[in-house]
Amino acid sequence: MRLARYLIEQSTAEQLHRPRWATQAELANRLGTVPDVLNRTLRNLAKEKLILVKRQQIQILDYKGLAAKAGLET
C-alpha cells in the first residue's frame, strides 16, 4: 500500500508532521491517486488503529502493523 509506505518513509519518531502546503489533494497527487481514495484509506487505517489523524500530524500507533500494510515487514 503506497500510503502506508509513504507514512513510514516520511515519519520521524512515529509521527508525520504534514506541512501546511500538503493538502490531501497534493498528497493524493504525489501518491498517484485521488483525494477521495486517500481520505478513505486514511480513515480505514485509523479504524484499524494503525494511525491517528490530527489536523497537522499523523501519528503512527502501530508501526509494525503499518509496515505490514506497506509490505515492509521483515
Side-chain angles (χ1 to χ4, degrees):
M1 168 185 287
R2 289 176 289 178
L3 178 58
R5 182 181 293 268
Y6 175 81
L7 293 175
I8 288 172
E9 289 173 352
Q10 299 299 312
S11 67
T12 57
E14 297 188 4
Q15 287 190 358
L16 170 67
H17 292 280
R18 189 171 62 180
R20 282 183 191 233
W21 55 263
T23 65
Q24 283 193 2
E26 290 166 324
L27 287 175
N29 187 41
R30 176 174 277 192
L31 295 171
T33 189
V34 294
D36 291 344
V37 173
L38 177 73
N39 191 17
R40 189 176 326 124
T41 305
L42 284 170
R43 280 196 321 263
N44 288 339
L45 291 173
K47 276 185 189 177
E48 294 177 38
K49 305 229 186 289
L50 298 174
I51 63 171
L52 176 63
V53 180
K54 297 181 182 177
R55 186 164 178 82
Q56 290 296 322
Q57 75 178 19
I58 298 172
Q59 182 178 359
I60 298 173
L61 300 175
D62 181 354
Y63 191 87
K64 288 182 181 182
L66 193 61
K69 287 274 186 186
L72 300 174
E73 69 275 358
T74 55

